[in-house]
Structures are given as C-alpha cells and as structure tokens.
C-alpha cells in the first residue's frame, strides 16, 4: 500500500490551485501546510479524512521521472476529474475511456499538470455512476 507521494513543482501557488480543483471530484478536499525547516522544504499536503498522502514541494520538476494515479469510485468520478483538471489548466493526454488493454473494467483518463506530470485517474470496478 502506498503511504504518500511528494511531487516537485515549479510554481507552488499555481500547482496548489490546479490540484485543489482537479482532485475535488475524487473527494480529496483536505489540505495541510508543512512549514519546512533545517533544509526541509515547505510542503502542501492533500488528502481526506485527516490522511494526507499527496504532497507538493517547490523546486525543479522532472515530469518524465514520475507517474502517479488516483483511484476513482466510478466512471463518473473519472469524467469529473478530467473536466475539473482541464478547467484548472491541465492538458489532455488521454480522454476518459475504457482501457481494455489493461483490464476489462479499467476506465481511465490521463492529464498533464502545469509542469507536465502525467496524472492518471482510474476506476477498475466497472461502476458507472
């Protein structure tokens, strides 16, 4: 099980705004500020129910070095993420659609965040709504 991911972004404020809007349809609506000290950078945490698992830090990103995917409860959540991410300034990589090459119930979308990180949102349950 994954505990957390930290993604380096070039513009902290812009990326916080992007992820706050894009992740909201997935129920990821809690935020935490971690003030860095002693060489540790400031972080912004995203999560839900008091658990923070997706973190941003400002620096020099290398989008080719990372790929991350978020779980959606349904196809509708995948679609809602896509709409929110594009509205927040993301770029379409792959529109929401079945990805039968992976699994019969694999329904996913991929967008590129403002720094070009490849963000996937996937539902593997076959749940439509």
């Amino acid at each position: 099980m994954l505990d957390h991911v930290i993604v380096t972004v070039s513009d902290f404020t812009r990326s916080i705004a992007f992820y706050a809007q894009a992740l909201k349809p997935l129920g990821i609506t809690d935020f935490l500020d971690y003030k860095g000290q002693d060489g540790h950078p400031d972080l912004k945490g995203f999560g839900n129910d008091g658990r923070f698992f997706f973190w941003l830090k400002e620096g020099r990103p290398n989008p080719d070095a990372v790929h991350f995917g978020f779980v959606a409860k349904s196809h509708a959540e995948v679609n809602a993420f896509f709409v929110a991410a594009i509205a927040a300034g993301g770029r379409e990589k792959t529109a929401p659609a079945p990805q039968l090459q992976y699994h019969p119930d694999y329904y996913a979308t991929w967008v590129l965040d403002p720094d070009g990180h490849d963000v996937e949102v996937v539902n593997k349950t076959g749940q439509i709504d």
Side-chain angles (χ1 to χ4, degrees):
M1 172 186 286
L2 183 65
D3 181 70
H4 67 275
V5 172
I6 299 174
V7 177
T8 303
V9 298
S10 64
D11 183 327
F12 206 46
T13 302
R14 176 185 68 179
S15 291
I16 289 168
F18 171 80
Y19 282 104
Q21 184 174 340
L23 297 178
K24 187 175 183 178
L26 303 178
I28 301 171
T29 57
D30 296 345
F31 310 103
L32 181 67
D33 293 314
Y34 175 84
K35 294 296 178 196
Q37 55 187 339
D38 300 324
H40 196 290
D42 291 347
L43 301 173
K44 181 71 164 191
F46 295 77
N48 59 9
D49 298 328
R51 183 175 176 272
F52 300 93
F53 48 86
F54 183 73
W55 296 85
L56 298 179
K57 72 175 182 175
E58 193 163 36
R60 194 172 79 191
N62 182 359
D64 294 331
V66 66
H67 166 84
F68 43 92
F70 293 95
V71 174
K73 295 176 188 159
S74 66
H75 293 196
E77 269 195 7
V78 172
N79 297 341
F81 164 83
F82 179 78
V83 169
I86 297 304
R91 292 173 291 147
E92 178 181 331
K93 181 176 177 188
T94 304
Q99 302 297 323
L100 303 177
Q101 70 273 27
Y102 299 129
H103 184 275
D105 289 325
Y106 203 109
Y107 185 84
T109 188
W110 289 263
V111 299
L112 301 175
D113 79 357
D115 284 304
H117 292 104
D118 182 358
V119 184
E120 178 180 357
V121 172
V122 61
N123 173 266
K124 299 177 185 176
T125 68
Q127 177 74 32
I128 304 296
D129 294 325

